[in-house]
Amino acid sequence: NSFCLLEDNPTEKVKNKYTLTGQSSDERDAWEIHMANALRDVLRYRKVFGVPIKVLLKREKESDIPGFVDKSIKFIRDYGLQAEGIFRLSGRATQIEKLRTQLDQGKKVFFSEDMDVNSVATLFKQWLRELPEPLLTWRLYKDFVGAIRYQNLEERLAYLRSLLQQLPIGNRYAFQHMVKLLVEVTENEKYTKLNPSTLSVVFAPNVLQDGDPTSNPFDTSTYEAVNTVFKDFIIHYNALFSEIERERSGDVEVRLRKSSGPDDKKKRRSTSSGIRASITAQAVSVPAVTEAPKKKKEKEGKEKKKKKT
């Protein structure tokens, strides 16, 4: 009637082992259920790495992208655009593990200016790599890779724009936010020594992955296609992401027209209901407002008549 718990702390070399013993099998089962619920709550309310984007977004109140993504990209933008080899050089292992542990424990982490920017960049790549589903999704992988069949640039860009709009809204915004940073990294190539090709080698395999277990991971043609498509995202950023930027900046019309997926449809219905409710409320309240002055005048008229008589 006992079971073991192994504490896995990346920052500590020694792993602690705990044995929990129940008086009966029922008590042991109760412990197991309790621990499963505790782990579920950690995933839902605290953990950052290996957690679906939609789960992370449920914790956000004032942001349309996960807080870790926003914070890390802002830090890299502030301190990494003149750092040679950003995203290619590894950070400090101990610093990375400490930050990662704190983030997964739900602690508030502040990236200070004396922190190694390569550590934050490495941490961001780890987050991206460990998403349960790639940022561009399993479902759309073959569609994105298939963009290379369009030899005409305008046709290819139009096709890629249509695919971006099919992404879940959280994925779409997070991806746009990330690519915008990569564009800035390439614009500072004289400092970073990085261009769209080198950044594609780093990021493309993390966001574009084939979910088919029978696919050949060493297929060079697929590898080249993935990198080519990702380069398009960086080189043609304005053509591909300008409408998504408008969505995020508060263009309600674009947001409602272009949002995709069941969650977005619910939001659309909710927004429409809210508007209808507002109009109804106004329609109900208008007569009450317009009738008040009329009654007041009638009352004044009656009083005048009384005085005359």
Side-chain angles (χ1 to χ4, degrees):
N1 296 327
S2 65
F3 61 97
C4 295
L5 295 177
L6 186 64
E7 181 184 21
D8 187 7
N9 189 338
T11 60
E12 301 291 338
K13 293 182 179 180
V14 179
K15 294 185 177 181
N16 298 318
K17 185 177 181 181
Y18 304 93
T19 301
L20 301 179
T21 304
Q23 299 298 320
S24 64
S25 59
D26 289 343
E27 192 172 300
R28 184 199 63 193
D29 292 344
W31 265 106
E32 289 179 347
I33 293 171
H34 175 76
M35 295 303 298
N37 290 337
L39 289 172
R40 182 197 61 202
D41 289 344
V42 167
L43 178 66
R44 182 182 299 172
Y45 301 114
R46 297 184 185 179
K47 196 168 166 57
V48 171
F49 293 85
V51 178
I53 285 183
K54 65 180 181 180
V55 174
L56 295 175
L57 283 173
K58 286 180 180 178
R59 306 173 193 169
E60 303 298 331
K61 295 181 180 178
E62 299 179 354
S63 179
D64 56 7
I65 59 175
F68 168 73
V69 174
D70 190 31
K71 186 184 296 186
S72 56
I73 285 180
K74 184 180 186 306
F75 183 82
I76 296 166
R77 178 175 284 118
D78 290 343
Y79 300 101
L81 294 183
Q82 293 189 1
E84 183 175 339
I86 187 69
F87 288 121
R88 297 203 75 180
L89 297 179
S90 299
R92 302 173 193 167
T94 53
Q95 192 173 63
I96 294 167
E97 292 299 339
K98 184 178 180 181
L99 288 169
R100 182 185 172 111
T101 300
Q102 291 175 337
L103 285 163
D104 271 347
Q105 289 175 348
K107 295 179 180 177
K108 291 201 172 191
V109 175
F110 299 95
F111 298 145
S112 59
E113 60 181 20
D114 58 344
M115 191 175 288
D116 182 4
V117 69
N118 289 310
S119 295
V120 178
T122 300
L123 203 62
F124 178 76
K125 288 190 297 180
Q126 287 183 3
W127 174 83
L128 199 63
R129 186 167 56 247
E130 294 177 23
L131 282 172
E133 182 180 33
L135 201 54
L136 298 185
T137 71
W138 304 117
R139 180 176 63 87
L140 293 174
Y141 167 79
K142 289 183 179 178
D143 294 320
F144 274 114
V145 173
I148 61 168
R149 71 177 181 270
Y150 292 96
Q151 298 300 315
N152 180 280
L153 178 61
E154 290 304 317
E155 290 180 358
R156 188 165 74 250
L157 295 182
Y159 177 70
L160 287 173
R161 276 196 299 270
S162 70
L163 292 179
L164 288 170
Q165 292 297 340
Q166 293 179 46
L167 290 169
I169 196 166
N171 295 52
R172 185 159 75 241
Y173 291 173
F175 186 59
Q176 175 269 323
H177 205 64
M178 181 191 81
V179 177
K180 186 174 184 179
L181 173 68
L182 300 184
V183 171
E184 294 173 30
V185 170
T186 61
E187 288 173 346
N188 287 273
E189 186 179 354
K190 65 178 181 179
Y191 302 110
T192 63
K193 310 300 182 189
L194 295 170
N195 56 43
S197 295
T198 50
L199 284 174
S200 295
V201 172
V202 175
F203 284 93
N206 291 323
V207 300
L208 276 169
Q209 297 176 28
D210 191 351
D212 184 358
T214 63
S215 62
N216 180 9
F218 303 105
D219 184 352
T220 55
S221 62
T222 302
Y223 176 78
E224 290 171 2
V226 167
N227 284 348
T228 299
V229 170
F230 197 88
K231 277 192 291 185
D232 276 343
F233 290 133
I234 298 175
I235 295 170
H236 304 291
Y237 174 84
N238 289 331
L240 291 171
F241 293 96
S242 59
E243 196 156 14
I244 297 176
E245 284 191 342
R246 285 176 59 200
E247 283 182 56
R248 294 190 65 203
S249 65
D251 191 325
V252 178
E253 182 182 350
V254 174
R255 188 186 290 259
L256 293 179
R257 178 164 51 87
K258 291 294 184 181
S259 59
S260 60
D263 291 341
D264 301 313
K265 289 178 183 177
K266 289 178 183 177
K267 289 178 185 175
R268 219 176 306 171
R269 286 196 295 268
S270 174
T271 304
S272 301
S273 301
I275 293 171
R276 285 197 298 271
S278 175
I279 292 172
T280 304
Q282 291 174 22
V284 171
S285 62
V286 166
V289 173
T290 54
E291 286 178 357
K294 187 177 177 182
K295 289 181 179 178
K296 187 177 180 181
K297 287 182 179 179
E298 289 176 356
K299 188 176 180 182
E300 288 175 351
K302 289 179 180 178
E303 289 178 352
K304 287 179 181 178
K305 286 180 182 180
K306 286 179 180 179
K307 287 179 181 179
K308 288 179 181 179
T309 57

